[in-house]
Amino acid sequence: MGAAFMADSTARIHSTLGVCCSTSGGGMMNLAVGVAESYNDSVPVLAIVGQPPRALEGRGAFQDSSGRGRSVDALKLWESITKYSARINSADDFWNKLEEAVVTALSGRPGPAALLIPRDINETEVGPPPQSVLDLLSNRPTLVPRFENVLQLHQMIRTAKKPVILIGSGMRRSTRPQAAVDYAIKANIPVMTTMADPGAFPNNHPLYMGMVGVAGHPSAHNYLNKEADLIIAVGTGFNIMARAPIAEGLKRAQVAVINVDIENILTKLEPEIALKADGAAVFHSLLARWRTAPFKAPAVLDYALTCFTPVLDDESKKLASQYKNNRVLLQSEALSILQSYLPENGHMLFDAGNCAASSLHYLTVPKGTSTTIALGMGGMGYSIPAAVGAQLSSNNESQSVVICGDGAFLMLGLEVHTAIELGLNILFVVFNNNKHGMCTTRQQLFFEGRMEATEYPEIQVSQIAKGLGSPEQVWTAKVSSASQMHLALEDFNNLATKRPGVLELELPLEEIPPFTTFLSPDAETYSLAISEEAAA
């Protein structure tokens, strides 16, 4: 599973093809969990999966997956979670099927592909790769827009009074992710991002209006629902988590959709115009038209990006009196402190749960830093191995930061050992409340506070991390106050030799996460100011 998540994040962040391998049997089944995430989120990954020797398939092979008898049918399994799956039956098949797999993974709506290789085939010579295979990654297939559609969209933008560009995670996986940003800045069009990639547009730019989705900013939702007259959405599939809070705006305003999989979107929306194309190709064409006749969209006046004011849940309000004389660290306070230590030109990886929802909502993504979260299958633990994939393909002078809960750490926390083995510059920040926070919140709000299978005995995350390597290999700390957290982060940042770090935050009180489904429509908010320096 860890290998698949590493390959997934490598593909997402570095706009390439991720590659992962596994053995047959249990290794195959574990890898499939991670590849299913890539399938749901349209990430191009190639899975190379070992199989028993051909002569023993269906005849009692160890880890048989021929589909005969009581064995798993490997090919059917992989066909259900990939765009392309094939079994290599001879050495002569290898290069042709590899090329088919990679082309399919990268074409149209991207996604994973799988090649199943029997043990005896694995030992055969296949000869040198043909040039077509070598050229695949440098010449990715691009779906170009129709000229008349680009012209129509151009005219819609020119005549709109309050246009907004909504950039989803698919733009990062286009052939030129910066194209939408460049066009928005040239044409002075305000931009919003989605939970799948809040860093898709510079968060400190004056044109940035915030993030939409169930953990999005109320000001962004209100503007789309009440004021925007044109929404240009690129690289978002509009799943329910993204579209629910802006459903009113998607019906009221004109909507233009740019996506490589328009058919899927048309089951959810009725846009004015739908461009089935690579987002980069569309914005490249729009930029070309803008250069021939430059224009500026009308400025948005008196807009302030707002966040929900953090509040304790009912159970924590009862417990708070126990800590009056011994002030504890709150999640919102921890995020405020962490903000000052987030790296520029690095990577931020968010896991599932309350801490991720709050991080997406309250944190401002630093300049040049990528943001990644797995919202397809939404499995816990993704961010930990994903950070390894992100950092492996980066200069170790840059830094990756993981934001996860203790539940996620219990799922895949031992993947920290891979980061230690490779000496990667990753800070794993673990928000530890000794419970599955998101499940607890839902049980409090929707099940009359009946707690079931969401809380567990105290775990010592930092102690577990210490057992994975020597102090020279892994930095660890556990904090329970704001002053301790400041000191710990200063200590990590000042390490003479970059290495993985695990920072455990002890959080005995729980705040309601800023999910629109958890908060009332009149929930208290506050404005998030942009500094003059950042705006410049």
Side-chain angles (χ1 to χ4, degrees):
M1 192 188 308
F5 287 155
M6 291 175 197
D8 178 282
S9 68
T10 298
R12 290 183 197 237
I13 293 169
H14 300 289
S15 298
T16 187
L17 176 73
V19 180
C20 54
C21 306
S22 80
T23 61
S24 52
M28 176 185 73
M29 301 305 293
N30 282 323
L31 197 74
V33 174
V35 172
E37 179 66 53
S38 301
Y39 185 62
N40 202 295
D41 255 3
S42 304
V43 182
V45 167
L46 174 63
I48 299 174
V49 185
Q51 294 289 279
R54 289 172 297 171
L56 291 176
E57 285 184 341
R59 301 178 63 192
F62 176 61
Q63 298 181 331
D64 185 20
S65 53
S66 64
R68 300 171 197 161
R70 298 298 297 274
S71 68
V72 170
D73 190 321
L75 197 55
K76 286 184 178 179
L77 168 70
W78 286 98
E79 285 174 346
S80 71
I81 56 172
T82 62
K83 289 183 66 182
Y84 174 95
S85 290
R87 188 188 302 272
I88 306 296
N89 292 315
S90 74
D92 295 337
D93 291 341
F94 180 73
W95 289 120
N96 287 337
K97 288 189 175 177
L98 176 65
E99 184 171 7
E100 288 177 0
V102 175
V103 168
T104 304
L106 295 172
S107 299
R109 181 177 181 175
L115 292 178
L116 310 182
I117 305 180
R119 175 70 176 82
D120 52 317
I121 294 291
N122 200 41
E123 296 179 334
T124 59
E125 291 290 336
V126 296
Q131 190 61 41
S132 59
V133 172
L134 295 175
D135 291 341
L136 279 174
L137 292 180
S138 58
N139 295 287
R140 292 179 58 182
T142 302
L143 190 59
V144 298
R146 297 174 62 182
F147 172 77
E148 57 267 32
N149 287 345
V150 174
L151 185 60
Q152 181 184 354
L153 178 57
H154 170 74
Q155 294 297 337
M156 290 171 66
I157 295 171
R158 286 294 302 261
T159 57
K161 302 299 183 184
K162 294 183 177 182
V164 174
I165 296 176
L166 178 60
I167 305 179
S169 61
M171 190 65 207
R172 186 179 296 278
R173 298 194 289 280
S174 70
T175 52
R176 188 173 173 271
Q178 187 68 17
V181 174
D182 292 344
Y183 179 75
I185 293 173
K186 293 282 189 184
N188 196 49
I189 301 174
V191 175
M192 298 180 189
T193 57
T194 67
M195 290 167 55
D197 190 4
F201 189 84
N203 281 196
N204 280 330
H205 196 281
L207 288 172
Y208 185 61
M209 299 184 76
M211 181 185 72
V212 304
V214 291
H217 297 116
S219 55
H221 298 156
N222 185 66
Y223 190 84
L224 289 186
N225 287 330
K226 305 295 183 184
E227 300 192 47
D229 61 354
L230 173 62
I231 301 170
I232 308 129
V234 57
T236 175
F238 282 114
N239 62 35
I240 192 63
M241 293 181 71
R243 75 177 189 270
I246 58 172
E248 181 183 344
L250 293 172
K251 291 180 180 178
R252 183 190 57 78
Q254 286 191 310
V255 177
V257 175
I258 304 163
N259 206 296
V260 292
D261 186 6
I262 288 297
E263 292 78 12
N264 181 53
I265 294 175
L266 294 180
T267 65
K268 310 161 190 171
L269 302 177
E270 295 181 3
E272 183 77 13
I273 180 174
L275 284 76
K276 184 174 183 176
D278 181 285
V282 172
F283 282 101
H284 178 76
S285 297
L286 288 173
L287 270 168
R289 299 205 64 79
W290 182 90
R291 290 189 181 100
T292 62
F295 69 93
K296 297 285 187 182
V300 176
L301 303 176
D302 301 321
Y303 178 85
L305 196 158
T306 62
C307 297
F308 290 112
T309 302
V311 294
L312 294 175
D313 65 24
D314 290 341
E315 188 63 29
S316 293
K317 287 177 182 176
K318 298 174 186 176
L319 296 173
S321 60
Q322 301 177 16
Y323 298 97
K324 280 186 177 179
N325 298 322
N326 184 20
R327 191 166 177 272
V328 300
L329 183 66
L330 295 176
Q331 180 173 265
S332 56
E333 183 181 31
L335 290 171
S336 178
I337 295 168
L338 183 62
Q339 179 70 68
S340 301
Y341 296 90
L342 293 175
E344 290 190 352
N345 302 310
H347 309 293
M348 294 175 62
L349 299 105
F350 306 89
D351 216 277
N354 285 357
C355 64
S358 296
S359 300
L360 292 168
H361 188 84
Y362 294 114
L363 291 178
T364 299
V365 180
K367 178 182 177 181
T369 291
S370 73
T371 48
T372 304
I373 182 171
L375 293 175
M377 301 297 287
M380 294 195 310
Y382 168 88
S383 64
I384 300 171
V388 175
Q391 196 62 30
L392 260 178
S393 300
S394 304
N395 187 318
N396 218 32
E397 289 302 310
S398 69
Q399 184 188 91
S400 294
V401 175
V402 167
I403 295 175
C404 69
D406 48 294
F409 189 85
L410 286 171
M411 289 290 292
L412 286 172
L414 293 186
E415 292 292 350
V416 170
H417 186 265
T418 304
I420 295 170
E421 178 186 1
L422 299 172
L424 300 179
N425 187 9
I426 304 173
L427 176 62
F428 300 90
V429 184
V430 185
F431 290 67
N432 188 1
N433 55 9
N434 294 295
K435 65 182 74 171
H436 295 303
M438 183 65 76
C439 300
T440 299
T441 299
R442 291 178 185 276
Q443 289 179 346
Q444 288 177 341
L445 293 175
F446 307 130
F447 292 88
E448 301 174 337
R450 300 190 301 274
M451 296 296 113
E452 185 65 40
T454 60
E455 299 174 303
Y456 38 78
E458 181 180 348
I459 65 167
Q460 299 289 336
V461 170
S462 59
Q463 292 298 318
I464 296 171
K466 282 182 180 179
L468 299 178
S470 68
E472 290 73 30
Q473 295 174 305
V474 57
W475 175 93
T476 63
K478 180 178 182 177
V479 301
S480 58
S481 69
S483 59
Q484 289 176 0
M485 186 172 175
H486 275 294
L487 289 172
L489 287 168
E490 288 288 343
D491 183 51
F492 180 75
N493 278 2
N494 292 330
L495 291 174
T497 304
K498 299 300 182 183
R499 67 187 76 123
V502 177
L503 176 61
E504 178 185 4
L505 310 181
E506 189 176 18
L507 304 169
L509 301 180
E510 189 79 3
E511 291 171 317
I512 298 176
F515 256 43
T516 54
T517 51
F518 295 166
L519 300 168
S520 64
D522 59 349
E524 184 180 346
T525 64
Y526 67 93
S527 296
L528 188 65
I530 297 177
S531 68
E532 292 183 11
E533 179 183 357

